[in-house]
Amino acid sequence: MSAVDLDALQARLRAFAAERHWQPFHTPKNLAMALMVEAAELAEIFQWMTPEQSLAAAGDPALKEPIADEVADVLLYLLQIADHAGVDLAQAVENKLRKNAVKHPVPEGDLKQK
């Protein structure tokens, strides 16, 4: 898998919106609402699957592209929200992972001895 340059991708999204004069509509509120719609479209693909079917979906050629399209839509809207809200994604992710580690520590019995 290739690495994604989030800053470059955000710049591409900014240019894409500007070329279409979409800036007035790309507010954090509108982008968050659009993100929820795309997340719902992703959820719809898996809606009636069993857990086992959802795990196997990645190997289904008929589902691979629709899943990828919706995942991409979710990511693109999330990147735009972060851009418009002035969120440094790398720092935000690092901070959140640190908070999650404190909030959800590894159970003592699960720690491996060195």
Side-chain angles (χ1 to χ4, degrees), residues 10-65:
Q10 284 176 318
R12 284 180 64 192
L13 290 168
R14 255 182 259 122
F16 187 89
E19 290 165 354
R20 290 154 180 80
H21 309 288
W22 289 350
Q23 301 98 318
F25 310 106
H26 281 200
T27 64
K29 176 192 107 26
N30 288 351
L31 292 167
M33 289 173 37
L35 170 70
M36 297 307 298
V37 170
E38 296 302 338
E41 290 177 2
L42 176 60
E44 184 179 27
I45 294 170
F46 299 103
Q47 184 174 7
W48 302 114
M49 291 182 186
T50 65
E52 295 76 21
Q53 289 170 324
S54 71
L55 288 169
D60 183 340
L63 291 175
K64 195 164 184 79
E65 186 174 352

Side-chain angles (χ1 to χ4, degrees), residues 80-101:
Q80 290 176 87
I81 293 166
D83 191 35
H84 287 272
V87 172
D88 177 329
L89 279 168
Q91 189 61 55
V93 167
E94 204 49 51
N95 291 345
K96 188 60 179 176
L97 288 173
R98 205 171 12 265
K99 289 176 186 178
N100 285 348

